[in-house]
Amino acid sequence: MVETETGTRHREKMAKKKAARDKIMAGKTEIRGLVIVHTGKGKGKSTAAWGLALRAMGHGQRVGIVQFVKGAWETGERGMLEDRFGDLCTIQALGRGFSWESQDLEKDTEAAEHAWAAAQKMMADPEFDLVIMDEINIALRYGQLDVANVAQAMKDKRTDLHVVLTGRNAPDELIDVADLVTEMTQIKHPFRSGVKAQEGIEF
Amino acid sequence: MVETETGTRHREKMAKKKAARDKIMAGKTEIRGLVIVHTGKGKGKSTAAWGLALRAMGHGQRVGIVQFVKGAWETGERGMLEDRFGDLCTIQALGRGFSWESQDLEKDTEAAEHAWAAAQKMMADPEFDLVIMDEINIALRYGQLDVANVAQAMKDKRTDLHVVLTGRNAPDELIDVADLVTEMTQIKHPFRSGVKAQEGIEF
């Protein structure tokens, strides 16, 4: 099935690609904790953050997670994580539900400020290698937190700390101070074709 | 800080948003396993799949993972997952490394076919609720697997099974049969500013 000529061409092409990649990698020398932003309207922003948590714990790193919005990860799932990863993972669910569910700006703001205080405490605690601020962008978007404050905290963070901030509509000030920004774009969504949200996948 | 007028306006806006959302949700009735694709050049494709695995396991669901490309998740991390989630999670690392590292199309094709056979076995096994085919799009891209075959298998799958397929350059045939497609777009990447890949974050 694989012709020799094709095989040779492929090998040459891949060798070139590898050489280019190796050259890029050799130039990378600085080691420091990253500020990572997951934004966009697509799925996967929080999920990818939890995947990063899993990966970090796989390296024996300690992870702190603050949930700025309730509901993304339910009590049962958090309980399971705490049971199995309690030695490596601390989760604080301090949000009040999505703003369109709550309709009370004042209480939302209080909850956001409380969550931000908890996140800052984790950032200052050298025990944590990675701090995830899940859905913090929602709180920023609705003016429940001061963007300049949060951006400054990212600039001032310990150099050995990774921070992940998730949620759609990441403000420009945050993107400016981030090292790595990924936008999740929805290309196709099952809701459009009448499929109900799925336990274990959607919630 | 929060003015009454602003509070009222916010409440009205959020109430409208909630009503619109509730209406959409009420129309969703079909329950079936989804075919989910994570593609694009940005980070987070595999990571979000592992996050989905975590979430599914949080619901007590069983997860099968086939790695079509070696390296995305290292032995140590897999070991940790198997230790702590061995009752819920089966991982088969059957890939040979990224194509630009390997330069041998024939061996890559063999490995891809082997991995695809393992993935199909998991799809047929009712014990699994979620099957993740990590980086399968790479194998499709380099012609190591037949796209039509894979697309047909997604159409023919058990209705109660979720499948996640990851990797950049997802072929159109796959997107056509998928229920949920998310594209991860790189907006900002630390490699560009000379930062070395970080243990626990990048690998």
Side-chain angles (χ1 to χ4, degrees):
Chain A
M1 196 190 97
V2 179
E3 300 141 313
T4 313
E5 207 190 345
T6 313
T8 308
R9 270 210 310 276
H10 178 78
R11 199 153 31 241
E12 280 166 4
K13 198 172 147 198
M14 290 300 114
K16 212 175 270 181
K17 211 160 178 174
K18 177 166 162 56
R21 201 181 151 80
D22 287 350
K23 198 176 161 187
I24 291 170
M25 298 305 286
K28 309 305 167 191
T29 48
E30 189 189 349
I31 294 181
R32 65 171 152 90
L34 303 177
V35 175
I36 298 171
V37 174
H38 294 170
T39 192
K41 291 185 181 175
K43 312 282 303 176
K45 298 181 290 290
S46 295
T47 319
W50 289 80
L52 282 176
L54 200 60
R55 172 170 289 181
M57 291 187 292
H59 284 272
Q61 298 179 0
R62 282 201 51 108
V63 179
I65 300 172
V66 175
Q67 294 186 272
F68 281 74
V69 169
K70 207 189 61 182
W73 285 78
E74 290 305 331
T75 320
E77 297 164 63
R78 281 202 308 273
M80 185 263 325
L81 263 179
E82 281 162 351
D83 282 351
R84 301 196 186 206
F85 286 106
D87 54 331
L88 294 172
C89 185
T90 304
I91 307 173
Q92 295 195 283
L94 301 172
R96 287 191 70 242
F98 282 98
S99 278
W100 55 84
E101 296 283 347
S102 113
Q103 302 162 34
D104 188 326
L105 185 57
E106 204 162 342
K107 278 192 187 156
D108 285 348
T109 301
E110 263 172 44
E113 283 168 356
H114 183 48
W116 173 237
Q120 281 181 292
K121 215 168 160 182
M122 281 179 176
M123 285 182 76
D125 182 349
E127 203 189 345
F128 291 105
D129 302 289
L130 167 63
V131 173
I132 294 172
M133 307 187 188
D134 193 38
E135 300 287 10
I136 189 174
N137 292 341
I138 305 275
L140 291 167
R141 166 68 183 262
Y142 287 107
Q144 296 157 12
L145 292 177
D146 184 57
V147 180
N149 245 353
V150 173
Q152 191 60 46
M154 296 306 134
K155 280 191 205 166
D156 297 342
K157 74 169 183 60
R158 290 181 278 133
T159 52
D160 56 347
L161 176 74
H162 298 292
V163 181
V164 181
L165 308 102
T166 79
R168 53 172 74 185
N169 298 306
D172 290 343
E173 295 92 323
L174 194 59
I175 288 174
D176 286 345
V177 298
D179 299 293
L180 176 63
V181 179
T182 304
E183 185 175 331
M184 277 70 171
T185 311
Q186 175 182 304
I187 299 210
K188 209 172 171 185
H189 196 289
F191 278 18
R192 290 194 179 150
S193 48
V195 179
K196 204 177 170 185
Q198 307 282 310
E199 188 188 69
I201 294 287
E202 303 278 343
F203 58 92
Chain B
M1 197 187 96
V2 180
E3 300 141 311
T4 313
E5 206 190 347
T6 312
T8 308
R9 268 210 310 276
H10 177 80
R11 197 152 34 238
E12 279 166 5
K13 198 173 146 197
M14 289 301 114
K16 213 174 270 180
K17 212 161 178 174
K18 177 167 163 52
R21 202 182 151 80
D22 288 350
K23 198 176 163 189
I24 291 169
M25 299 305 286
K28 309 305 166 189
T29 48
E30 189 188 350
I31 294 180
R32 65 170 153 94
L34 302 176
V35 175
I36 298 172
V37 174
H38 295 168
T39 192
K41 291 185 181 175
K43 313 280 305 176
K45 298 181 289 292
S46 295
T47 318
W50 289 80
L52 282 177
L54 199 59
R55 172 170 289 181
M57 291 187 292
H59 284 274
Q61 298 179 0
R62 283 201 50 110
V63 180
I65 300 173
V66 175
Q67 294 186 272
F68 281 74
V69 169
K70 207 188 61 183
W73 286 78
E74 290 306 331
T75 320
E77 297 164 63
R78 280 201 309 272
M80 186 264 324
L81 264 179
E82 280 163 350
D83 282 352
R84 301 195 186 208
F85 285 106
D87 54 332
L88 293 173
C89 186
T90 304
I91 307 174
Q92 295 195 283
L94 301 172
R96 287 191 69 241
F98 282 98
S99 279
W100 55 84
E101 296 283 347
S102 113
Q103 302 160 35
D104 188 326
L105 185 57
E106 204 162 342
K107 278 191 188 157
D108 285 349
T109 301
E110 263 171 44
E113 282 168 356
H114 184 47
W116 173 238
Q120 280 181 293
K121 216 169 159 183
M122 282 180 177
M123 285 182 75
D125 182 348
E127 203 189 345
F128 292 105
D129 302 290
L130 167 64
V131 173
I132 294 173
M133 307 187 188
D134 194 38
E135 300 287 10
I136 189 174
N137 292 342
I138 305 274
L140 291 168
R141 167 67 183 263
Y142 288 108
Q144 295 157 12
L145 292 177
D146 184 56
V147 181
N149 245 354
V150 173
Q152 190 60 45
M154 296 307 133
K155 280 191 205 166
D156 296 342
K157 75 167 183 60
R158 288 182 279 134
T159 51
D160 57 346
L161 175 74
H162 298 292
V163 181
V164 182
L165 308 101
T166 79
R168 54 172 72 186
N169 297 307
D172 291 343
E173 294 93 324
L174 194 58
I175 289 174
D176 285 345
V177 298
D179 298 293
L180 176 62
V181 180
T182 304
E183 184 174 333
M184 277 69 171
T185 310
Q186 175 182 304
I187 300 213
K188 210 173 172 185
H189 196 289
F191 278 18
R192 289 195 180 151
S193 48
V195 178
K196 203 175 168 185
Q198 310 279 310
E199 189 190 68
I201 293 287
E202 302 278 344
F203 59 90

